[in-house]
Structures are given as C-alpha cells and as structure tokens.
Amino acid sequence: MSKSLVSITDLSKDEILHILDVAAEFEKNREQSFLEGKVVASLFFEPSTRTRLSFEAAINRLGARVIGFPDNKNTSQSKGETLEDTIKIVSNYVDLIVMRHPMEGAAKIASEVSPVPVVNAGDGANQHPTQTLLDLYAIQKTQGTLDGLTINMVGDLRYGRTVHSLSQAMSAFDSKFIFTAPEELRMPRKYLHELEGKGIPYIETEDLDAHLRDCDILYMTRVQQERFPSKEDYDRVKDTYILKADMLQGVRDNMKVLHPLPRINEVSTDVDSTHYAYYFEQAGGGLYVRMAVISYLLGYR
C-alpha cells in the first residue's frame, strides 16, 4: 500500500522539514514536468476555493493531469454508493487521490481501501494536514525557524481542523501554545492530552487582549457556521473575537497574523495594511507546499 497523508502525524519531523525544503525549491521554480503522464483525482465532496484550486494548480504545474469534481451533487454517492466503493473505482484511473469530505474519518477510510496514495484535503472537523504544512511554511519564512515559538490560536478551536493539525505539528518543535476561545469552542481535550503527554506548555483563556503581546504567531480562525448543530449556537459565539489594527500596539515586532481563510469579520480589513498581516502570503505558499506533498507521495525525493 502506498504512503498516504491523512493526518499530519503521518509525517515525521524530518519528513516535514524535507517537504518544506522542497516547497522552497518549487517557489524558486514552479514550472516542473517530472509528473508528466501521471493522473491525479481531485475529489471534493464539499465546497472549497483555495484548497481545491491550489491542489489543481499544483498538479498542473508538475505536469500531471487532473480529473474529479468540485462537489458531491453529481457523484454516484448521491445515488447511494458508499465512499469505499467510490474510492475503489476512482483509484483504478489515477496515480493519487486528493479528497475533501465533510465526514470526520473519511480520509482514513479512503486510504485503507485505495491502492494509490490519498491526500486528506480536510475531513470534517478533524484534520487538514496540507493546510498545516503551508502554515508551517509561512511560520518558517516569517520567523526564520520553527523552534521555540509561542503560537496563539484564536476562535473556533473545537471545530477548526487547521488548529488541531497545527498543534500536533508544532509540538515537535518545542513550541508553547496559547488557546484563546470561548467555553463552547475550546480546544478538544484529545489534543490537550497529547500536549500534556509531551510536556508541552499551554494556556487556555477567553481574553484575546490578554496574550496578544506574548506570541510570535497569532493564528486567527473563523467561527464555522457549517459545523454547528444549530444557527442559535452559532449566533451566540460568531462575533466573539474581532482583531483590529489598533489592538496590535505593543505586540512583538516579529509577530505575524495568520489565518487559514476564508475570513468573515474576525480579522478587520485595517489589519491588512500592517506589517503583521501575512495571511494572503500564507495562502499563496499553499501551491508550493502541495506541489511538494504530491511529489513526495509519488516517490520523488
């Protein structure tokens, strides 16, 4: 069975650093052709803009061809076909599968029945490992290192799959964490237990302003309406945190604001013009990181 990327924990620290190094090389020269003749499936069972387009751009930049669909409406799953059967069929046609699915654990199911590598492009509120890799790429570029940094994660830490993966990845680099969230959206105990088991220090708070000046990376997230059981629950917490430019006075000069995007109103547009904002550059790095991931899983070292 080929190596898949379902969780960021599927990669060792050395593999992560290697992928980031390859991404940097691709950023210098993004026109490649060594995957010519390969076919990659882009299976998005829920809507996506940045992730789907950056994956498909990465596939094309590498010289491969892409087939697939942007949503679940026109697939045989609408007729009742199981995910397992869909993956078994599609894997006959391609060399690698990129998949986003609303069900937590879907990527693991796909990887267990597919003879070709599967890349998890997000499975419900669970994991989003390539987003984590592009987050690491942005952190490394802005800080010059991944080691010994303090990361303040803000907003939807319960349903936000990007923060789950990022906490696991950064725990390998002697990080410290600040988790800023209302009671309803706190980081799940599963991930806190993992940090405790590794002796990684963390603080939990509901006060955004309390620790703005204590971090190297401020990782903002939107409150995800699509993950909430009811609109009433969502409305109660949706505007809990709104970062504005005047709140950044006195923060560390090296501090950067990251965001997995899309944003709603949790980062005011007046932050965009500050030298702390890095979320658009962060998203741009996704092309090179995903080129590196696809190349690595297809055996190009």
Side-chain angles (χ1 to χ4, degrees):
M1 193 73 72
S2 301
K3 182 179 178 68
S4 292
L5 179 56
V6 172
S7 165
I8 194 65
T9 59
D10 292 333
L11 299 174
S12 68
K13 181 178 179 179
D14 286 343
E15 286 178 306
I16 288 173
L17 292 173
H18 171 71
I19 288 170
L20 298 184
D21 286 343
V22 173
E25 291 301 313
F26 284 146
E27 185 166 8
K28 295 174 186 174
N29 180 17
R30 66 183 185 178
E31 301 301 330
Q32 305 288 337
S33 61
F34 56 82
L35 292 188
E36 189 173 352
K38 300 288 186 183
V39 179
V40 177
S42 173
L43 309 184
F44 278 71
F45 293 89
E46 68 174 358
S48 169
T49 301
R50 278 154 299 279
T51 302
R52 183 174 68 86
L53 292 181
S54 66
F55 260 117
E56 293 183 5
I59 294 162
N60 282 286
R61 293 287 183 188
L62 291 166
R65 287 168 292 170
V66 59
I67 63 172
F69 46 80
D71 60 56
N72 196 33
K73 295 176 184 175
N74 298 312
T75 74
S76 290
Q77 289 217 310
S78 64
K79 304 174 185 177
E81 183 175 63
T82 66
L83 175 63
E84 290 92 332
D85 283 0
T86 298
I87 296 302
K88 287 176 183 177
I89 294 300
V90 172
S91 64
N92 290 318
Y93 311 145
V94 300
D95 301 286
L96 181 143
I97 294 171
V98 176
M99 188 182 84
R100 170 169 286 190
H101 199 285
M103 182 179 74
E104 184 172 329
K108 188 174 190 301
I109 292 171
S111 71
E112 289 172 346
V113 300
S114 174
V116 302
V118 173
V119 182
N120 182 7
D123 60 333
N126 186 31
Q127 287 271 336
H128 196 352
T130 62
Q131 175 69 47
T132 299
L133 288 165
L134 76 88
D135 292 343
L136 296 177
Y137 190 58
I139 293 169
Q140 187 180 63
K141 287 186 73 172
T142 60
Q143 305 301 315
T145 184
L146 291 173
D147 294 309
L149 302 174
T150 299
I151 317 295
N152 188 349
M153 299 181 181
V154 180
D156 186 355
L157 309 188
R158 178 180 180 182
Y159 299 111
R161 57 193 170 199
T162 63
V163 294
H164 301 162
S165 297
L166 186 58
S167 70
Q168 291 179 313
M170 286 300 296
S171 66
F173 296 94
D174 193 30
S175 301
K176 298 181 181 67
F177 293 96
I178 301 163
F179 298 123
T180 305
E183 181 70 27
E184 300 95 320
L185 298 178
R186 290 174 64 178
M187 182 69 89
R189 290 301 308 172
K190 167 186 173 181
Y191 299 102
L192 298 181
H193 286 321
E194 287 182 10
L195 296 178
E196 290 163 3
K198 296 177 181 178
I200 303 293
Y202 67 85
I203 295 170
E204 290 187 282
T205 181
E206 296 188 20
D207 186 352
L208 174 59
D209 191 62
H211 294 283
L212 282 179
R213 290 149 200 88
D214 302 331
C215 60
D216 302 295
I217 296 295
L218 182 64
Y219 195 93
M220 300 294 298
T221 67
R222 72 183 174 94
V223 177
Q224 302 176 81
Q225 182 174 0
E226 65 271 26
R227 307 291 178 207
F228 275 75
S230 72
K231 188 175 185 300
E232 291 74 20
D233 291 339
Y234 168 74
D235 287 340
R236 189 168 58 251
V237 295
K238 65 179 181 179
D239 295 324
T240 303
Y241 304 116
I242 300 176
L243 182 70
K244 298 180 180 179
D246 60 9
M247 298 169 64
L248 297 172
Q249 295 180 12
V251 301
R252 296 177 182 179
D253 191 59
N254 64 298
M255 192 274 280
K256 295 298 179 187
V257 181
L258 302 185
H259 192 304
L261 300 177
R263 66 174 166 185
I264 307 302
N265 64 346
E266 62 279 351
V267 178
S268 174
T269 55
D270 64 4
V271 176
D272 298 356
S273 58
T274 71
H275 81 272
Y276 304 110
Y278 198 76
Y279 25 87
F280 295 121
E281 295 90 340
Q282 172 192 3
L287 171 64
Y288 314 114
V289 166
R290 287 173 175 131
M291 288 175 70
V293 168
I294 292 167
S295 302
Y296 184 71
L297 294 180
L298 287 178
Y300 293 86
R301 302 294 192 262

